[in-house]
Amino acid sequence: MKNIIQPIVVTMGDPSGIGIEVTLRAWKNRKIKHPFFLIHDYSYVKKIIKKMKINIPLKLISEPNQAVKIYKNFLPIYQLEVAKNTQLGKPNKQNAKVILKSIDMALNFIQLGEAAAMVTNPIAKNIINYASKNFTGHTEYLAKKSKSKNFCMMLINDTIRVIPLTIHIPLKKVSQSISKKLIKDTLKIINQSIKKDFRNKKPKILITGLNPHAGENGFLGKEEKDTIKPAINSLKKSMNVYGPISADSAFTKENLNKYDAVLCMYHDQALIPVKTIDFYNTVNYTAGLNFVRTSPDHGTGFDIATKFIANENSLVSAIRDAIKISKNRSINK
Amino acid sequence: MKNIIQPIVVTMGDPSGIGIEVTLRAWKNRKIKHPFFLIHDYSYVKKIIKKMKINIPLKLISEPNQAVKIYKNFLPIYQLEVAKNTQLGKPNKQNAKVILKSIDMALNFIQLGEAAAMVTNPIAKNIINYASKNFTGHTEYLAKKSKSKNFCMMLINDTIRVIPLTIHIPLKKVSQSISKKLIKDTLKIINQSIKKDFRNKKPKILITGLNPHAGENGFLGKEEKDTIKPAINSLKKSMNVYGPISADSAFTKENLNKYDAVLCMYHDQALIPVKTIDFYNTVNYTAGLNFVRTSPDHGTGFDIATKFIANENSLVSAIRDAIKISKNRSINK
């Protein structure tokens, strides 16, 4: 396995949320050996450290590779100023642009070969919309920015990998948003990603139905018969795909042992089981991009941001997975 | 706690499914002290026993109370003939009427005071439809038969109680099927049931949103703002109701400890977490009826019916819960 020497870049996320807190804790607990740096506002982060009553030495860096040398003794910060009146727990639309800019900067570092992968801290979509209309999430934004047409959101933990076919859309629009093409394209991305990113040569992928009991032979919905099943069948020669199975029977221990990934039809169908199985260690990975991006699988936590009770495990897992996937990808280079 | 002396009646379910097998195992493993009897075809059950290569003595009864005396030494059978050509694993539409009749008989025994509660074996809706058009499930059928307007499906295991607001409808019809009235009525049934059936004086009920992230302030759907939140708020004075919360954050250990029940908006949103948490011991309880009905939370298992590998735990739990709820209800009588 080839060693990657570039650091991981961690984005700001919403500065009023728990992003800073979990990043500080992730550095502090020393569970991550590979260097990472945070794009953020040095003075603001200092202020938070004071409030948290912990001791974390920061150091400003002017380019990513400086992070590698100082990481052991300092949390490296790449400066990006937030609004003067920024407060924890109170999302501030004046920060919309700068939050988005930190994502753009991270992407730029990766494209220049200066960072190995990016880990994004949580943001609030309704805040980002002040800077970028129709912003629906990191996944969709980064895909567009990097001109990737084939991508999907993959939730991963030690037990399971789950992919929602549709993501941030109202539930009533789910049925009209699924198509044979989308299912086939997504299955191809998943299959490729499991091979390349997780070094598994023969991925087995399980697919859930859309309706209760996977439609029960068309009796509780037609999408399984008309769309999902034909899409799966058309791929059976080229990959190991199984289903559609009733979503409430998909997540048994037997299935979790047997399959390498589960493709679900929509957000909650995928996110409920993965979070029920392991709430604090689940990571959001964007499969199919030509760079590696992960994120913790929780929100901004505005409601607990001033309490300093956030759990950093998901961010730690996200950084670790970003490192692991980057290394896996570099093997064949 | 008053003792109930009437036996539990177990319905036939689809005779081509695993219903017989799990009922036989439930009697055989001696985990249920309270007597129960099965409505089924004596000769057909005999044949299955032979195929399973186990020894279970059967005895025909002509009225439910006979079950009490013989239960210890025999599995009591109340005769109801199935089609001559019935086979395991091959659902047979000729049995549609008799399957339905076993449910009607069970209800009749309860209404006559001859049985304490009913436990229903799994059926296939598309088969039952040959005898009863628009049959969508036991829950709905029994509510109609017993003229109960206020009822809901409640999934229970040792960790959690979950209620789907809408049940056996296609996913694309969910949004149009939820209303303030339905939410309020269902919350009242849940609140009442937890008090009466589970002896908890101050139930705390958590409610999930319909859309991803519970609509994210209207950004990913309006139902939370327009329907769910107002319904919850209107009940806050009379009961302990909380939400709507993003469904993928509802099932943390903290929440499972804190709340006595979770009301979800649709089938998979409720069934996925409860089955992911405990696949083999989850019970389907119909709350709000004037009699007690439970069932195992699995399907007919046609695909494994000839293999005799079915797990009887859910049926055992269903019979036990039926007994427990009957006893709880009888305390105040």
Side-chain angles (χ1 to χ4, degrees):
Chain A
M1 196 178 280
K2 192 178 142 190
N3 272 330
I4 49 167
I5 47 154
Q6 299 98 329
I8 305 293
V9 51
V10 178
T11 66
M12 173 184 281
D14 196 303
S16 301
I18 58 173
I20 293 184
E21 180 189 352
V22 293
T23 310
L24 291 169
R25 292 196 199 282
W27 183 85
K28 180 89 177 166
N29 72 20
R30 309 271 167 187
K31 284 183 187 163
I32 302 160
K33 296 272 177 287
H34 191 97
F36 68 86
F37 69 97
L38 174 66
I39 301 177
H40 220 302
D41 186 324
Y42 184 90
S43 317
Y44 183 70
V45 177
K46 269 269 185 218
K47 225 165 64 182
I48 306 296
I49 290 174
K50 228 177 184 174
K51 284 192 180 172
M52 284 176 69
K53 291 172 188 157
I54 53 171
N55 180 24
I56 293 184
L58 304 179
K59 198 162 217 167
L60 273 173
I61 56 171
S62 57
E63 49 184 87
N65 72 8
Q66 293 172 355
V68 178
K69 292 165 212 156
I70 65 160
Y71 172 78
K72 216 180 151 187
N73 301 310
F74 301 91
L75 171 61
I77 303 284
Y78 192 97
Q79 180 66 16
L80 182 59
E81 213 168 307
V82 301
K84 284 278 169 272
N85 57 351
T86 304
Q87 283 182 59
L88 284 181
K90 293 183 181 163
N92 185 336
K93 62 184 180 184
Q94 288 176 55
N95 282 321
K97 273 189 186 166
V98 70
I99 297 168
L100 213 54
K101 193 175 175 190
S102 84
I103 303 171
D104 294 342
M105 284 165 71
L107 181 59
N108 193 41
F109 287 139
I110 291 174
Q111 287 172 336
L112 292 170
E114 295 179 8
M118 80 163 84
V119 177
T120 56
N121 264 311
I123 56 176
K125 292 173 195 67
N126 55 338
I127 292 292
I128 303 296
N129 264 261
Y130 288 104
S132 169
K133 273 204 174 166
N134 301 321
F135 179 93
T136 56
H138 277 110
T139 305
E140 301 89 333
Y141 180 79
L142 284 166
K144 204 174 169 187
K145 268 267 163 183
S146 64
K147 294 183 180 116
S148 304
K149 279 185 184 162
N150 297 315
F151 65 95
C152 65
M153 181 197 268
M154 186 182 281
L155 289 312
I156 54 184
N157 59 41
D158 289 344
T159 311
I160 186 175
R161 294 184 196 103
V162 178
I163 301 93
L165 182 73
T166 59
I167 316 180
H168 294 118
I169 57 171
L171 187 86
K172 69 176 172 186
K173 292 197 175 163
V174 169
S175 170
Q176 69 199 62
S177 304
I178 72 170
S179 67
K180 280 180 221 172
K181 185 177 181 329
L182 181 63
I183 294 169
K184 282 159 66 177
D185 287 350
T186 308
L187 283 170
K188 284 175 195 165
I189 300 164
I190 298 167
N191 193 54
Q192 193 57 26
S193 169
I194 308 259
K195 283 183 184 176
K196 193 176 65 169
D197 299 335
F198 301 97
R199 316 305 301 167
N200 178 331
K201 283 179 187 168
K202 285 187 181 173
K204 286 182 183 165
I205 310 169
L206 183 65
I207 297 100
T208 64
L210 174 75
N211 296 298
H213 311 178
E216 200 158 332
N217 286 316
F219 190 71
L220 297 174
K222 308 280 184 208
E223 292 88 343
E224 286 80 7
K225 278 193 165 176
D226 294 347
T227 312
I228 307 172
K229 207 168 176 59
I232 296 172
N233 287 345
S234 74
L235 291 176
K236 285 220 160 159
K237 278 188 185 165
S238 55
M239 56 180 87
N240 300 310
V241 282
Y242 307 86
I245 182 178
S246 177
D248 63 352
S249 298
F251 303 96
T252 60
K253 272 187 194 140
E254 292 79 358
N255 283 342
L256 298 178
N257 282 332
K258 193 170 168 187
Y259 299 101
D260 303 297
V262 184
L263 173 61
C264 294
M265 293 298 113
Y266 55 93
H267 185 277
D268 280 5
Q269 207 184 40
L271 276 279
I272 291 173
V274 75
K275 286 196 174 183
T276 301
I277 289 168
D278 194 346
F279 192 77
Y280 290 116
N281 293 294
T282 296
V283 171
N284 179 342
Y285 169 53
T286 310
L289 299 180
N290 55 14
F291 61 93
V292 177
R293 176 254 165 171
T294 65
S295 82
D297 186 37
H298 56 68
T300 51
F302 292 136
D303 53 327
I304 58 163
T306 58
K307 296 180 185 167
F308 304 121
I309 53 168
N311 184 315
E312 77 274 23
N313 286 357
S314 185
L315 181 71
V316 171
S317 298
I319 296 174
R320 282 181 170 172
D321 284 343
I323 297 163
K324 199 174 79 183
I325 297 169
S326 299
K327 286 184 178 172
N328 280 340
R329 282 194 179 189
S330 72
I331 290 175
N332 288 344
K333 276 185 182 167
Chain B
M1 195 178 279
K2 190 179 141 189
N3 272 330
I4 48 166
I5 46 155
Q6 298 98 330
I8 304 294
V9 50
V10 178
T11 67
M12 175 184 278
D14 196 303
S16 301
I18 57 174
I20 293 184
E21 180 189 352
V22 293
T23 310
L24 291 169
R25 291 196 199 282
W27 183 85
K28 180 89 176 165
N29 73 18
R30 310 272 165 183
K31 284 183 188 164
I32 303 160
K33 296 272 179 288
H34 191 96
F36 68 85
F37 69 96
L38 174 66
I39 300 177
H40 220 304
D41 186 325
Y42 184 90
S43 317
Y44 183 69
V45 177
K46 268 270 184 216
K47 225 164 67 181
I48 307 297
I49 290 175
K50 226 176 185 175
K51 282 192 182 171
M52 285 175 70
K53 290 173 189 156
I54 52 170
N55 180 23
I56 293 184
L58 304 179
K59 198 162 214 167
L60 274 172
I61 57 171
S62 56
E63 48 185 88
N65 72 7
Q66 293 172 355
V68 178
K69 293 166 211 157
I70 64 161
Y71 173 76
K72 217 180 150 186
N73 301 311
F74 301 91
L75 171 60
I77 303 284
Y78 192 98
Q79 179 66 14
L80 183 58
E81 213 167 308
V82 300
K84 284 277 168 275
N85 58 350
T86 304
Q87 283 183 57
L88 285 180
K90 293 184 179 161
N92 185 335
K93 62 185 179 183
Q94 289 176 52
N95 281 321
K97 274 190 185 166
V98 70
I99 297 168
L100 213 55
K101 193 175 175 190
S102 84
I103 304 171
D104 293 343
M105 284 164 71
L107 181 58
N108 193 40
F109 286 139
I110 292 174
Q111 287 173 335
L112 291 171
E114 295 178 7
M118 80 163 84
V119 177
T120 56
N121 263 311
I123 54 175
K125 292 175 195 63
N126 56 338
I127 292 293
I128 303 295
N129 264 260
Y130 288 105
S132 170
K133 274 203 174 166
N134 301 320
F135 179 94
T136 55
H138 277 111
T139 305
E140 300 89 336
Y141 179 77
L142 284 167
K144 204 175 168 188
K145 268 268 163 181
S146 64
K147 295 184 178 113
S148 305
K149 279 185 183 161
N150 298 314
F151 65 95
C152 66
M153 181 197 268
M154 186 183 280
L155 289 311
I156 54 184
N157 59 40
D158 289 345
T159 311
I160 187 176
R161 295 184 196 103
V162 179
I163 300 91
L165 182 73
T166 59
I167 316 180
H168 294 118
I169 56 171
L171 188 86
K172 69 176 172 186
K173 293 200 172 160
V174 169
S175 170
Q176 68 198 61
S177 304
I178 72 170
S179 67
K180 281 181 220 169
K181 185 176 181 329
L182 181 63
I183 295 169
K184 282 160 67 178
D185 288 348
T186 307
L187 284 170
K188 285 175 195 166
I189 300 164
I190 298 167
N191 193 55
Q192 192 58 26
S193 168
I194 308 260
K195 283 185 184 176
K196 192 176 65 168
D197 300 335
F198 301 98
R199 316 303 305 168
N200 179 330
K201 283 179 188 167
K202 284 186 179 173
K204 286 183 182 165
I205 310 169
L206 183 65
I207 297 100
T208 64
L210 175 74
N211 297 296
H213 310 179
E216 200 157 331
N217 286 317
F219 190 70
L220 297 174
K222 307 281 183 206
E223 291 88 344
E224 285 79 6
K225 278 192 166 177
D226 295 346
T227 311
I228 307 172
K229 209 169 175 56
I232 296 171
N233 287 344
S234 75
L235 290 177
K236 286 220 160 158
K237 278 188 184 164
S238 56
M239 56 180 88
N240 301 309
V241 283
Y242 307 86
I245 181 177
S246 178
D248 62 351
S249 298
F251 304 96
T252 59
K253 271 185 195 142
E254 292 80 359
N255 283 342
L256 298 179
N257 282 331
K258 194 171 167 187
Y259 299 102
D260 302 297
V262 185
L263 173 62
C264 294
M265 293 297 115
Y266 54 92
H267 185 277
D268 280 6
Q269 208 185 38
L271 276 280
I272 291 173
V274 75
K275 286 196 174 183
T276 301
I277 289 168
D278 194 345
F279 192 76
Y280 289 117
N281 293 294
T282 295
V283 171
N284 178 343
Y285 169 53
T286 310
L289 300 181
N290 54 15
F291 61 93
V292 178
R293 176 253 166 173
T294 65
S295 82
D297 187 36
H298 56 67
T300 52
F302 293 135
D303 54 328
I304 58 163
T306 58
K307 296 180 186 167
F308 304 120
I309 52 167
N311 184 317
E312 78 275 22
N313 286 357
S314 185
L315 181 69
V316 170
S317 298
I319 296 175
R320 283 179 167 171
D321 284 344
I323 296 164
K324 199 174 78 185
I325 297 168
S326 299
K327 286 184 179 173
N328 281 339
R329 281 194 179 191
S330 70
I331 290 175
N332 288 343
K333 275 186 185 168

